[in-house]
Amino acid sequence: MTRIAQIALCAALPLVSACADRDRDYPRLLPMEQLLAEPELPPDGADPAAVTEAAQSRAEALRARAEALRRPVIEPGIQRRMRQRGG
């Protein structure tokens, strides 16, 4: 094993060990098929008022989610763990 490979291995070990901690609050990962899937469209002949209502309710939910993201960056669970570890 070359010197560069040894250094790379030593640098990668902390990252790999950090991934092993299962009680962390990471976002849920989605499969690529779901990310790349075509959006679901309403069926032909759908009631325009119902489609508009669904779109507006989804837009309101997204606005509420965006507003929630404007809060502090560090999540409460992570702050608690930082305090417990003296950080």
Side-chain angles (χ1 to χ4, degrees):
M1 186 181 277
T2 66
R3 185 78 172 152
I4 294 175
Q6 290 174 346
I7 293 171
L9 179 63
C10 290
L13 283 177
L15 297 174
V16 172
S17 66
C19 295
D21 194 1
R22 298 283 185 220
D23 61 336
R24 291 194 176 182
D25 301 322
Y26 289 109
R28 184 174 61 93
L29 300 178
L30 298 174
M32 286 302 294
E33 294 81 21
Q34 187 175 352
L35 290 173
L36 298 175
E38 290 292 324
E40 292 182 24
L41 299 175
D44 289 340
D47 181 24
V51 173
T52 302
E53 177 66 30
Q56 287 177 345
S57 66
R58 183 160 190 257
E60 289 171 10
L62 289 172
R63 282 188 204 100
R65 184 175 177 198
E67 184 62 34
L69 291 174
R70 289 191 179 103
R71 294 190 179 128
V73 176
I74 300 176
E75 297 172 353
I78 295 172
Q79 282 183 335
R80 186 186 76 253
R81 286 196 306 266
M82 287 171 55
R83 287 188 196 113
Q84 289 174 348
R85 294 183 180 157

